[in-house]
């Protein structure tokens, strides 16, 4: 599903040049659950942004479903992203002005799904995340765990092939964190590919494979059994 | 998608109540001003539109040349209309008109009709006034016919038809036959009479001379394009006529387009004119106010964009295109503008009575309810929404989602320069308006407080007619019986506006010399009553009056009081002039009694010219100087004397200072309007500044906290927060000054007597702008400086 070769990303300011990704190569197969680990500043977030088509690389190749996307313009990237990729963030990133239902509905609106169909799918996914009773509440009225479940619901409502999770349990206590990890595992078992950045060895154990990064390169791969 | 935007927009507006409030207030105020000014402009620009033949009608202006002196005016003699109809093939029809005041009586009802018009029988052919009853061709055919407007008909006859009935008109109660009823004159008509009588009634319908010019003449041309051709013909015709005549003066006539009179003519018509300059000024003010409101919106939205950044980031990650985000934010600003529109329509309805009072109009919001205006307003509103919303939308839609969502996003320099420029621009407008207002106000103050050379305080003005003239001596003694009426005089023109044109000469000047002079027939109490200062000689006496009361013209001896300019024109010093023989016109031989100090007997737009006051047994006004101690009591006493002696006319009066102010009604009005709108502009600019400074203080909360922990004083923090804004206000002041100086001087050029645009106006205006900015900003700065630093640091 994802094939990366010699990927480079360099951040430049007037005085300093920071190499975030240094000729990184990586492959993720369809249906895999991969955890990316490493110290702060090792480039794992940059990698996730590029995988999520939020940022473009400065060099190298990025094949997504056998299409070269490294030099797609913003429009094309947005189009590919909204149909194929779901995001889960550490800080949930729900829109405060929208209710739970409306937050989850948003990706469907941008992909042009009809209103009746939207309602059905949002309810389905809210049900699955056991958050249906909170559908008319605003994010501030929910606990952290509930907010993250809404965020996961939003990430999967469009039935993406790939979910990118950026420290999904970072802001949660351990029981809520485990719940979210279980959700991701369930999704993966139903066929969704997941790439997750995490600091937590505990969370990483839910994955099939751990990629350890340092200074913009992969240094080690652990296959989980 | 749209519903989702609408929802987010409404919730967002609701959540940020301060910003929304400021923007709503700004936009609503701006739109309210625009709507009110729009109503006013629509009314002014629509003047005489209802005249279907308006483009073919010309008003005839007379040009009267006497030596080097050229006078132009909208008065013509009765000879012009018939001569022009006969001589020039371009003229289809012509009409003579004059408006006067008449006492009208029906049964026991009696009113003073101030708008009593006389017009030729061609009236309904030339003008598109609608006759409801009667025959338009016959209605003004015969002497003593009169057509009433609907509301006047109701006043005298209630709901009965007045046609065929007779009214008693004038002091001697002449019977006029009512021959028709017409629709009231529209409020946007340059003639708005209440009664219309046949011109033939006046008995002046002879074609004797061009110089007995007391009437207004209009021509209806066959072709609307023949103005220029006809003008050339008129010029040539009168060149020949003048060459043939032996008169020392020359006349010619100038055509004026009827539809241009209200806004473009320097010559008054039956109703006060307006000036297109003032229309432009007021339109510009409306636009400036709207601009300020838009800028406030742009400023606040871009400044607040950080708060919206997260939302934008999420939407983009989820799949929103740049265009969709742009549309969302523009939509939000259009929504806000539309809400403001609804609010401002409400405000306009509330404010309209007051605004009508201010502008002396009868505007109604109904005149805006045409499909064209509604469509136009909506388009404008959407444009404002676009204008105000597109920049913030552009900034927001360009946010990089990853930076925003990683929290590394800070409000960097994005749009900082633009925001600063907009603030500067807002303050330029405000300072410009402040200076403009100051200049206008100081000229108006100058007009009001100027020593005119006479005393216009506590002088009661009453009308005088033939019947009153007979009882005047008794009336005078009744008035002066109390100690509160100091003196009573009679005059043909009021001292505020003397316009009678005469010529004068004296023995010893070459044969045929005529000196143009303005003159006013008065009595022996005039100088005393209006407080003129005699600098040589002595006032008129009772005997002087007796000298002009002979039945035979040859035996009359006149007496004159000259102003300094007139004495100088005759070649005399004030002292030399006394007792000298002189003539006024061909007829009046007489002697100079006195010379008075020059005084302003016309508007301050004009320089003081030579003036002669002379004894004559006639006048149009009674002037009474009162003590002013108990004005209502004095007036009541005068009224009871009036009712006893002048039963045919209600007691009507005005004060001389009112008459004086009436001459500057256009200036006074524009002054008032500008005052109000300048205040609004400044308020709006402050509102924007307030919003922005509160935002900036909020943004710098952490910085302030750290500074305080490190030992910064409150004063120091206020300085830090205010410094930038004050700098901007100062820059704006400097930019505004040259524009304001230039515009102010241009406006003042219309006045011969005017104030100088002095440096203190700029000093005060500049300081005012800076102080206002300082106060506005400090409110926020003080709040921020006093806040507990622990709070702001912990929240990070």
């Amino acid at each position: 599903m994802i094939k990366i070769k010699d990927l480079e990303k360099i951040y430049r300011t007037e005085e300093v040049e920071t190499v975030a990704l240094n000729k990184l190569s990586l492959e993720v197969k369809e249906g895999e659950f991969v955890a990316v680990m490493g110290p702060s500043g090792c480039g794992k977030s940059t990698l996730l942004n590029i995988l999520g088509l939020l940022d473009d690389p400065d060099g190298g190749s990025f094949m997504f479903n056998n299409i070269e996307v490294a030099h797609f313009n913003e429009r094309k990237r947005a189009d590919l992203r909204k149909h194929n990729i779901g995001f889960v963030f550490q800080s949930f990133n729900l829109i405060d002005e929208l209710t739970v239902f409306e937050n989850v509905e948003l990706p469907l609106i941008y992909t042009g799904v009809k209103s009746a169909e939207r309602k059905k799918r949002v309810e389905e996914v809210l049900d699955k995340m056991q958050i249906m009773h909170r559908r008319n509440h605003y994010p501030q009225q929910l606990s952290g765990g509930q907010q993250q479940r809404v965020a996961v619901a939003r990430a999967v409502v469009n039935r993406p092939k790939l979910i990118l999770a950026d420290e999904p349990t970072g802001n949660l206590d351990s029981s809520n964190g485990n719940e979210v990890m279980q959700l991701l595992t369930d999704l993966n078992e139903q066929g969704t590919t997941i790439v997750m950045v995490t600091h937590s060895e505990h969370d990483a154990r839910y994955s099939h494979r751990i990629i350890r990064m340092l200074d913009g390169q992969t240094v080690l791969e652990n296959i989980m059994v | 998608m749209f519903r989702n935007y609408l929802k987010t927009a409404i919730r967002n507006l609701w959540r940020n109540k301060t910003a929304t409030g400021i923007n709503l207030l700004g936009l609503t105020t701006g739109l309210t001003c625009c709507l009110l000014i729009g109503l006013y402009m629509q009314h002014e620009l629509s003047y005489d539109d209802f005249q279907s033949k308006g483009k073919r009608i010309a008003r005839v202006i007379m040009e009267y040349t006497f030596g080097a002196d050229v006078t132009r005016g909208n008065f013509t003699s009765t000879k012009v209309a018939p001569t022009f109809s006969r001589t020039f093939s371009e003229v289809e029809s012509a009409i003579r008109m004059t408006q006067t005041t008449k006492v009208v009586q029906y049964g026991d009802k009696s009113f003073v009709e101030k708008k009593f018009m006389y017009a030729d029988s061609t009236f309904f052919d030339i003008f598109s006034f609608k006759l409801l009853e009667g025959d338009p061709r016959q209605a003004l055919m015969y002497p003593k016919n009169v057509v009433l407007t609907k509301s006047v008909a109701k006043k005298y006859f209630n709901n009965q038809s007045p046609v065929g009935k007779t009214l008693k008109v004038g002091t001697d109660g002449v019977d006029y036959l009512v021959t028709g009823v017409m629709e009231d004159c529209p409020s946007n008509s340059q003639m708005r009479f209440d009664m219309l009588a046949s011109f033939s009634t006046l008995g002046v319908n002879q074609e004797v001379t061009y110089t007995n010019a007391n009437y207004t003449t209009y021509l209806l041309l066959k072709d609307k394009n023949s103005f220029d051709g006809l003008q050339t013909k008129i010029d040539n015709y009168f060149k020949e006529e003048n060459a043939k005549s032996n008169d020392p003066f020359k006349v010619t006539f100038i055509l004026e387009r009827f539809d241009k009179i209200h806004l473009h003519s320097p010559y008054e018509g039956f109703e006060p004119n307006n000036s297109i300059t003032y229309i432009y000024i007021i339109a510009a003010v409306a636009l400036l106010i709207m601009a300020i409101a838009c800028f406030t919106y742009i400023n606040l939205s871009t400044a607040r964009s950080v708060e919206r950044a997260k939302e934008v980031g999420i939407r983009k990650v989820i799949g929103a295109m740049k265009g969709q985000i742009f549309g969302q934010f523009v939509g939000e600003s259009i929504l806000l503008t539309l809400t403001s529109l609804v609010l401002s329509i409400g405000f306009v309805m509330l404010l309209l009575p007051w605004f009508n009072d201010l502008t002396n109009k009868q505007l109604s919001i109904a005149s805006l309810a045409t499909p064209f205006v509604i469509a136009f307003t909506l388009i404008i509103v959407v444009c404002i929404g676009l204008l105000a919303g597109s920049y913030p939308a552009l900034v927001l839609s360009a946010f990089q989602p990853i930076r925003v969502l990683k929290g590394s996003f800070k409000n960097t320099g994005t749009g900082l320069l633009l925001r600063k420029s907009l603030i500067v621009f807002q303050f330029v407008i405000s300072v410009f308006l402040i200076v403009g207002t100051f200049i206008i106000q100081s000229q108006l103050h100058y007009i009001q407080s100027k020593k005119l050379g006479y005393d216009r305080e506590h002088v009661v003005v009453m009308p005088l007619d033939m019947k009153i003239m007979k009882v005047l001596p008794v009336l005078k003694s009744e008035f002066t019986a109390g100690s509160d009426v100091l003196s009573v005089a009679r005059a043909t023109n009021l001292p505020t506006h003397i316009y009678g044109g005469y010529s004068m000469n004296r023995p010893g000047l070459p044969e045929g010399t005529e000196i143009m002079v303005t003159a006013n027939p008065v009595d022996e109490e005039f100088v005393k009553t209006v407080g003129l200062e005699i600098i040589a000689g002595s006032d008129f006496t009772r005997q002087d009056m007796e000298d002009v009361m002979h039945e035979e013209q040859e035996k009359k001896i006149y007496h004159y009081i000259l102003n300094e300019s007139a004495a100088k024109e005759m070649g005399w010093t004030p002292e030399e002039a006394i007792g000298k023989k002189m003539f006024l016109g061909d007829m009046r031989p007489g002697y100079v009694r006195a010379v008075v100090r020059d005084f302003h007997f016309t508007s301050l737009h004009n320089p003081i010219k030579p003036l002669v006051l002379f004894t004559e047994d006639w006048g149009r006004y009674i002037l009474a100087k009162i003590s002013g101690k108990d004005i209502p009591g004095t007036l009541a006493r005068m009224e009871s004397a009036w009712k006893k002696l002048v039963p045919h006319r209600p007691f009507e009066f005005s004060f001389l200072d009112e008459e004086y102010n009436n001459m500057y009604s256009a200036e006074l009005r524009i002054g008032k309007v500008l005052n109000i709108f300048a205040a609004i502009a400044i308020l709006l600019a402050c509102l924007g500044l307030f919003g922005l400074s509160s935002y900036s203080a909020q943004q710098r909360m952490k910085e302030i906290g750290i500074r305080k922990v490190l030992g910064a004083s409150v004063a120091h923090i206020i300085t830090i927060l205010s410094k930038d804004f004050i700098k901007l206000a100062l820059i704006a002041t400097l930019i505004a000054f040259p524009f304001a100086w230039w515009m102010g001087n241009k406006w003042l050029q219309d006045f011969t007597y005017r104030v100088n645009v002095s440096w203190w106006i700029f000093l005060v205006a500049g300081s005012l702008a800076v102080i206002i900015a300082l106060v506005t900003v400090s409110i926020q700065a003080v709040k921020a400086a006093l806040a507990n630093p622990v709070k702001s640091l912990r929240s990070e």
Side-chain angles (χ1 to χ4, degrees), chain A residues 81 93 97 102 110, chain B residues 7 11 15 314-316:
Chain A
R81 182 167 69 228
N93 279 334
E97 284 76 24
E102 288 158 356
Y110 285 123
Chain B
K7 252 186 273 179
R11 287 173 195 167
R15 233 161 64 98
I314 298 169
R315 284 181 185 274
K316 279 193 151 186

Side-chain angles (χ1 to χ4, degrees), chain B residues 103-169:
Chain B
V103 181
V104 177
Q105 209 182 331
Y106 178 74
D108 52 356
K109 286 181 183 169
S110 171
F111 300 100
V112 175
E113 295 297 343
K114 288 194 169 167
K115 298 193 168 178
F116 195 100
M117 183 78 87
Y118 287 96
D120 275 321
S121 60
T122 43
F123 184 83
F124 290 103
D125 175 40
I126 295 174
F127 298 113
S128 315
F129 292 102
K130 211 170 145 201
L131 201 58
L132 301 170
E133 278 185 67
D135 176 359
R137 291 180 191 287
Q138 299 286 324
L140 299 171
M141 194 60 105
Y142 303 103
K144 296 168 196 166
N145 286 351
V146 64
V147 172
L148 311 182
T149 58
K150 207 170 150 186
S151 52
V152 163
K154 198 160 181 216
K155 186 166 81 174
Y156 287 89
F157 298 95
N158 293 324
N159 294 323
Q160 282 176 287
S161 167
V163 175
K165 305 218 165 57
T166 52
L167 291 170
K168 292 205 180 301
V169 177

Side-chain angles (χ1 to χ4, degrees), chain B residues 329-401:
Chain B
F329 285 99
V330 166
E332 215 173 288
S333 95
I334 291 176
L335 176 77
L336 198 69
T337 323
L338 280 175
T339 314
S340 304
L341 178 68
V342 174
L343 288 177
S344 39
I345 288 172
F347 278 117
V348 167
M349 289 197 213
L350 274 176
L351 292 173
L352 209 53
W354 165 83
F355 187 70
N356 278 337
D357 213 42
L358 183 74
T359 53
N360 199 20
K361 298 272 167 203
Q362 289 95 46
L363 306 171
S364 104
I365 190 122
S367 61
L368 282 186
T370 63
F372 174 77
V373 176
I374 291 171
F376 186 75
T377 312
L378 283 178
I379 290 172
I380 291 290
V381 163
V382 170
C383 285
I384 290 171
L386 269 175
L387 189 78
S390 61
Y391 181 75
L394 209 64
V395 170
L396 282 164
S397 63
F399 280 159
Q400 285 296 318

Side-chain angles (χ1 to χ4, degrees), chain A residues 56-78:
Chain A
D56 48 354
D58 293 321
S61 136
F62 174 15
M63 304 287 283
F64 187 89
N65 272 345
N66 299 320
I67 308 164
E68 176 58 68
V69 297
H71 299 294
F72 266 25
N73 62 19
E74 199 191 317
R75 206 188 161 74
K76 273 179 154 174
R77 276 193 274 141

Side-chain angles (χ1 to χ4, degrees), chain B residues 173-241:
Chain B
V174 179
D175 283 341
Y176 279 42
L177 178 68
V178 179
T179 52
V181 176
M182 59 178 277
E183 205 72 83
D184 287 358
C185 299
S187 62
N188 59 348
S189 173
Q190 59 172 283
M191 48 185 88
R192 294 179 65 192
F193 50 85
D194 295 317
M195 294 192 165
L196 178 69
S198 47
F199 195 77
S200 50
T201 316
L202 294 172
V204 290
N205 204 356
Q206 324 92 333
E207 298 177 30
V208 184
T209 164
Y210 284 119
T211 51
N212 185 12
N214 294 309
Y215 310 97
T216 305
T217 304
Y218 299 99
L219 307 176
L220 177 65
L221 307 190
K222 286 175 185 151
D223 179 0
K224 69 175 178 357
N225 298 318
S226 59
F227 275 87
D228 292 344
L230 179 56
Q231 186 64 60
T232 316
K233 277 193 179 178
I234 292 172
D235 293 346
N236 292 335
Y237 179 83
F238 281 96
K239 226 174 258 170
E240 279 176 35
E241 289 285 297

